[in-house]
Amino acid sequence: MTDTARARKLADRIQVVVAQTLERRIKDPRLGFVTITDARVTGDLREATVFYTVYGDDTEREATAAALESAKGVLRSEVGKQTGVRFTPTLTFVADALPENAKNIDDLLDRARAIDAAVRTSAAGAVFAGDADPYKVPASERDDEDE
């Protein structure tokens, strides 16, 4: 039976512990400007996935990924010390795709705004193709309006 509240609390604690340990204890020069964005723990509390972002280009991202993999043992032992759970979850580091997705969404929104502006400018001088009132009025109502 899984306790999702406990898994959520443990994931939050793992996120904090990993971020603090990376900041204070890990001195790997390959480690770039990394931010721990999220952590998720499976229902049985055996595996933890830690999501991170790196500020920089692709080479810095690759170097940071290698540095995190090499520091995995130190980070796991620190998580075990500070959480006090019976079994320390194994850590898996995954590069967070959130910044790239946000950039793609911003690009799509900019493109939609440009298309909307083009439609707005082309509709500014437009006139109706037919009459101003395209609906047919019965003859009896037309005669009443003429009087």
Side-chain angles (χ1 to χ4, degrees), residues 84-99:
V85 291
R86 179 178 294 169
F87 179 81
T88 304
T90 58
L91 300 177
T92 306
F93 291 97
V94 177
D96 200 353
L98 187 68

Side-chain angles (χ1 to χ4, degrees), residues 73-113:
V74 174
L75 293 170
R76 185 173 180 219
S77 66
E78 193 65 31
V79 166
K81 287 177 192 174
Q82 292 192 25
T83 57
V85 291
R86 179 178 294 169
F87 179 81
T88 304
T90 58
L91 300 177
T92 306
F93 291 97
V94 177
D96 200 353
L98 187 68
E100 289 85 17
N101 291 342
K103 185 182 180 318
N104 288 339
I105 289 172
D106 285 341
D107 292 343
L108 290 173
L109 287 174
D110 288 340
R111 199 168 91 203
R113 281 188 200 103

Side-chain angles (χ1 to χ4, degrees), residues 30-91:
R30 298 175 295 176
L31 197 63
F33 187 68
V34 64
T35 302
I36 304 299
T37 56
D38 193 17
R40 295 186 186 149
V41 178
T42 58
D44 61 355
L45 308 178
R46 297 284 181 165
E47 296 176 10
T49 304
V50 179
F51 295 92
Y52 68 94
T53 59
V54 179
Y55 183 75
D57 57 357
D58 289 335
T59 57
E60 291 175 354
R61 289 185 188 122
E62 292 170 4
T64 299
L68 288 173
E69 284 299 317
S70 69
K72 191 183 283 190
V74 174
L75 293 170
R76 185 173 180 219
S77 66
E78 193 65 31
V79 166
K81 287 177 192 174
Q82 292 192 25
T83 57
V85 291
R86 179 178 294 169
F87 179 81
T88 304
T90 58
L91 300 177

